[in-house]
Amino acid sequence: MKRDPVLIIALALAGLALFLPLGGASWTAAPMAFALWLAMFAASAFQTLRPLPTTRAFVLLAFAALAGGYSLLQLIEAGANGGEALALWTGLASLFFLIWRVVERAAMLGIERPGIATLIAAPLIFGIWLLYVWQVLVLGFKVPGVLLPAPSVICAALIGARETLAADFVQTFIKAVIPGFFIGGGAGFVTGLLVDHMPFLQRGLLPLGNLVSALPIVAVAPIMVMWFGFDWQSKAAVVVIMTFFPMLVNTIAGLEALGRIERDLMATYAASYGQTLSMAKLPAALPFVFNALKVNSTLALIGAIVAEFFGTPIVGMGFRISTEVGRMNISMVWATIAVAAVAGSASYGLIALAERRFTFWHPSFRKP
Amino acid sequence: MTTTSAIFAFPADLIRRAARGTALPVATILLLALTLWYAGTVFLNAAVVTDQYQRDRKTSWTTEEFIADTMSMERPVLPAPHQVAAELEKSIFGVRLTSKRNLLYHAWVTFSAAFLGFGFGNLLGIALAIAIVHLKSLERALLPWVIASQTVPTLAIAPMIIVVLGSIGFVGLLPKALISTYLCFFPVTIGMVKGLSSPEPIQLDLLRTYSASEVQTLRYLRLPASLSFLFPSMKVAVALAIVGAIVGELPTGAQAGLGARLLAGSYYGQTVQIWSALVAASVLSGASVGLIDLGERWLDRRLGGQR
């Protein structure tokens, strides 16, 4: 019977780690780490020799990965660090192969029995692994916090300064991004609808719109700050300009997307323009509109934050980033980035959910 | 091209054909935009000019004089197109090509960083896409994070990244190129994942009957099939690469580049300089997209594609 090569590599590296130097620490001085590492080794060895079916294999390997991961953190605490702690880095490599299998089992679980928990398991574990590697590398190599803080430090900053961060979030996201996003998207959509009436304008606007959406629109930020002042209005204006063109181009392309046959069908029904629009053209355009909304959801946040670099009141995410960089308080910067990333992902996710809801008929959502 | 083949045709016919093509509509929209720009110049600068008149105790003026004054201000709220054109002309042809006051020099600095980042981004994007297409578990585990990676406001933290990289010895072109890389690997990855998995099952089956290896399948089927997805992604990516390079130049560390011009213009209220840098950036990104388009057509002809 063929053994799993990935797990064999993981086991070999894990065994090797027990005999390599540990820098400032030793396995005997950290009995807890030693015990956990052995538990990890035993669990992986069991799966290698007597493979379990998917679900149980996933549970066993996930347990092994947790034990191994905690063991390495204990080693670092016991004083293992730097380039001479070869066991630490070999152990990390061993965990990499173990995690590879865990993620694969999780992905297979998602295929075998789809559900929200099993579908997000694989990406979630992968994300936690990335954070873990970051933590171990920063702590293990003693990277100064000014260069790159450890995730644990960022998390502490996130909790410690939650009121400041909440105020920044309101200023940037609620006051600038959301109105700008809706005004820009709405204006783009309405312009697209109007232009659809006039084929001449449409043929002129589509190539130009494509060109404009390729332009570095962020660069108008200083001009907007000059025109609309330092407060959120100028940031909203930047967001409006950034979100307008992707929406315009996509709306025009989407309204065009309706097939000849469908158009002819509506004509044989003697449908009015309004009826054709609401019953055939708009539904056909929806996938394009959602595409624009997705693109815009990340563009809007970037636009607002960059605009704050060119002048702002003393609150806002862009302001926080630029001042805390100046004060070398990098963990606070990363905390702000984390807030922005979560806000961006959440808006993207919300739009993706709405897309599934409203364009469920689209081929890309069909079950294979 | 409708318009070029119609040059020798009867003028009325030419106009009709131009109206059906894209040249005339585009020209019309451009003309409209230019008109709006001029109107905006008068409208936005009016307050400052009136203010100036009051300070000069000037009580009567003609409309023409007023309009002319709104278009010839030193630091207008919105400069007129011809002012921007004059500034462009002055800063491109008025000084030596190697001088730091030449806009082309700054455009070159930005372009070289963007180009380097674009190259890295394409390599990274294509490598990731190949890995994702060949390892099923990676598609589920990695792809969501590729998307999440773009919700980090990279542009917003670009200045910090530049400063941090600078403190560990990375200066000059590379930090800017890295930001461009981070921005432009994303569309390439997404487009290539779609493109590499675009061959029909029947085509994959054919290669299996030839007992082609994975590498051969990639070389003879997947890669050629992905080209029509790669080029549109590259067009998006090159525009992003230029944006990334410009934002990377915003921190005070950068003395050259279009971003540095923007920042300097913004500090000293030199609106004409900001607008001319903006125009230069737009031309740069338009030209890069055009270059990729040319490359696409060339490759398409080489591969015997029919259009």
Side-chain angles (χ1 to χ4, degrees):
Chain A
M1 176 174 171
K2 227 177 127 215
R3 307 264 177 243
D4 185 350
V6 174
L7 277 182
I8 289 178
I9 298 176
L11 278 176
L13 287 172
L16 191 62
L18 284 173
F19 301 102
L20 286 171
L22 253 176
S26 70
W27 286 106
T28 43
M32 176 76 171
F34 186 63
L36 282 170
W37 194 252
L38 284 187
M40 182 278 247
F41 192 89
S44 318
F46 185 81
Q47 170 65 19
T48 317
L49 298 172
R50 308 260 321 265
L52 296 169
T54 313
T55 316
R56 273 183 284 166
F58 168 71
V59 174
L60 183 68
L61 289 180
F63 160 75
L66 269 181
Y70 195 64
S71 164
L72 290 189
L73 286 181
Q74 292 258 315
L75 278 183
I76 293 176
E77 215 161 282
N81 58 57
E84 63 265 35
L86 280 176
L88 190 61
W89 309 120
T90 318
L92 195 63
S94 155
L95 278 184
F96 166 78
F97 287 101
L98 187 59
I99 287 286
W100 180 350
R101 270 292 167 261
V102 175
V103 167
E104 198 184 35
R105 289 282 173 276
M108 274 166 73
L109 264 184
I111 295 170
E112 277 173 19
R113 22 177 135 157
I116 289 194
T118 49
L119 279 178
I120 63 165
L124 193 67
I125 293 169
F126 194 75
I128 293 173
W129 165 247
L130 288 182
L131 283 180
Y132 177 76
V133 171
W134 179 354
Q135 176 89 14
V136 168
L137 286 180
V138 168
L139 290 185
F141 279 113
K142 295 213 157 151
V143 178
V146 181
L147 287 186
L148 186 67
S152 55
V153 180
I154 296 170
C155 198
L158 204 58
I159 295 165
R162 58 185 177 280
E163 275 161 28
T164 322
L165 288 171
D168 292 343
F169 179 78
V170 168
Q171 169 76 14
T172 304
F173 200 81
I174 311 277
K175 283 190 189 163
V177 171
I178 290 183
F181 179 82
F182 282 107
I183 297 172
F189 184 71
V190 170
T191 314
L193 280 185
L194 292 179
V195 166
D196 186 56
H197 243 341
M198 293 167 267
F200 183 77
L201 279 186
Q202 182 193 349
R203 253 176 297 142
L205 261 181
L206 202 55
L208 281 180
N210 270 322
L211 184 71
V212 173
S213 32
L215 297 185
I217 299 189
V218 175
V220 299
I223 294 168
M224 290 300 127
V225 172
M226 223 175 273
W227 285 4
F228 294 101
F230 279 1
D231 211 352
W232 57 268
Q233 290 89 344
S234 59
K235 283 79 202 174
V238 174
V239 176
V240 167
I241 296 181
M242 281 186 89
T243 52
F244 177 79
F245 285 100
M247 184 54 103
L248 175 66
V249 170
N250 274 292
T251 308
I252 294 178
L255 290 173
E256 272 285 273
L258 191 65
R260 168 120 289 188
I261 295 182
E262 288 89 346
R263 275 168 215 266
D264 286 351
L265 180 68
M266 291 312 277
T268 60
Y269 289 160
S272 68
Y273 177 77
Q275 285 169 324
T276 313
L277 190 70
S278 67
M279 289 177 197
K281 279 190 156 189
L282 278 185
L286 262 190
F288 290 81
V289 171
F290 272 111
N291 196 17
L293 285 178
K294 278 184 186 169
V295 172
N296 283 347
S297 68
T298 47
L299 275 184
L301 193 57
I302 290 173
I305 292 181
V306 171
E308 285 183 359
F309 290 163
F310 292 94
T312 158
I314 53 158
V315 63
M317 291 157 93
F319 168 80
R320 195 65 54 206
I321 290 175
S322 51
T323 46
E324 299 294 341
V325 166
R327 293 170 51 196
M328 285 297 181
N329 189 3
I330 304 296
S331 60
M332 188 65 189
V333 177
W334 280 96
T336 311
I337 292 168
V339 172
V342 169
S345 304
S347 9
Y348 189 97
L350 268 181
I351 293 168
L353 269 184
E355 184 183 22
R356 241 163 218 273
R357 191 88 195 237
F358 290 111
T359 62
F360 55 88
W361 42 267
H362 196 259
S364 59
F365 293 124
R366 265 182 224 149
K367 294 239 163 63
Chain B
M1 285 272 130
T2 352
T3 43
T4 45
S5 63
I7 282 175
F8 303 107
F10 189 66
D13 186 41
L14 181 99
I15 292 169
R16 211 175 315 126
R17 294 178 85 170
R20 245 181 287 135
T22 47
L24 197 63
V26 169
T28 314
I29 301 276
L30 277 180
L31 206 65
L32 205 71
L34 216 57
T35 319
L36 273 177
W37 188 347
Y38 270 114
T41 311
V42 175
F43 179 71
L44 282 164
N45 293 339
V48 189
V49 172
T50 342
D51 195 46
Q52 187 64 39
Y53 281 174
Q54 269 167 4
R55 238 177 291 158
D56 296 348
R57 303 192 184 285
K58 190 171 176 175
T59 44
S60 67
W61 59 80
T62 62
T63 318
E64 283 134 58
E65 198 185 340
F66 184 76
I67 289 178
D69 277 341
T70 57
M71 289 182 191
S72 55
M73 287 166 60
E74 184 87 352
R75 293 176 178 185
V77 180
L78 175 66
H82 65 258
Q83 278 179 296
V84 177
E87 164 77 16
L88 277 172
E89 201 260 327
K90 196 182 84 193
S91 58
I92 289 177
F93 301 109
V95 278
R96 274 180 304 113
L97 204 60
T98 48
S99 159
K100 280 207 163 179
R101 287 171 53 208
N102 193 313
L103 200 60
L104 281 184
Y105 165 78
H106 291 284
W108 168 250
V109 169
T110 302
F111 178 75
S112 48
F115 188 74
L116 193 64
F118 177 66
F120 287 157
N122 272 303
L123 287 182
L124 178 65
I126 293 172
L128 272 181
I130 289 176
I132 286 174
V133 168
H134 285 96
L135 295 172
K136 203 76 201 148
S137 58
L138 222 48
E139 184 187 344
R140 279 170 178 268
L142 188 61
L143 210 51
W145 290 100
V146 171
I147 294 170
S149 77
Q150 299 302 306
T151 63
V152 172
T154 332
L155 283 182
I157 56 168
M160 184 189 80
I161 295 173
I162 302 277
V163 171
V164 165
L165 285 177
S167 72
I168 53 172
F170 283 111
V171 283
L173 216 56
L174 208 58
K176 289 191 275 174
L178 282 182
I179 288 168
S180 295
T181 305
Y182 189 91
L183 284 178
C184 72
F185 91 95
F186 175 71
V188 175
T189 307
I190 298 293
M192 280 301 273
V193 166
K194 214 164 190 173
L196 288 172
S197 42
S198 67
E200 303 276 332
I202 197 168
Q203 297 168 322
L204 289 168
D205 286 347
L206 178 68
L207 284 193
R208 202 164 300 137
T209 62
Y210 292 160
S211 85
S213 66
E214 280 286 321
V215 179
Q216 284 170 326
T217 312
L218 187 69
R219 163 75 183 78
Y220 293 106
L221 178 59
R222 289 189 190 272
L223 278 182
S226 69
L227 285 183
S228 59
F229 290 83
L230 175 63
F231 279 101
S233 307
M234 274 166 82
K235 286 177 199 167
V236 177
V238 79
L240 284 175
I242 289 173
V243 175
I246 289 178
V247 175
E249 284 158 357
L250 285 183
T252 43
Q255 289 96 16
L258 292 175
R261 283 284 273 214
L262 276 180
L263 199 69
S266 150
Y267 277 166
Y268 302 114
Q270 298 284 359
T271 28
V272 185
Q273 188 188 327
I274 299 184
W275 280 90
S276 65
L278 268 180
V279 170
S282 314
V283 171
L284 191 62
S285 90
S288 310
V289 172
L291 218 62
I292 289 172
D293 196 51
L294 277 183
E296 180 179 10
R297 280 160 203 245
W298 176 79
L299 199 63
D300 204 46
R301 265 202 306 280
R302 279 292 305 271
L303 295 176
Q306 289 167 342
R307 292 235 148 172

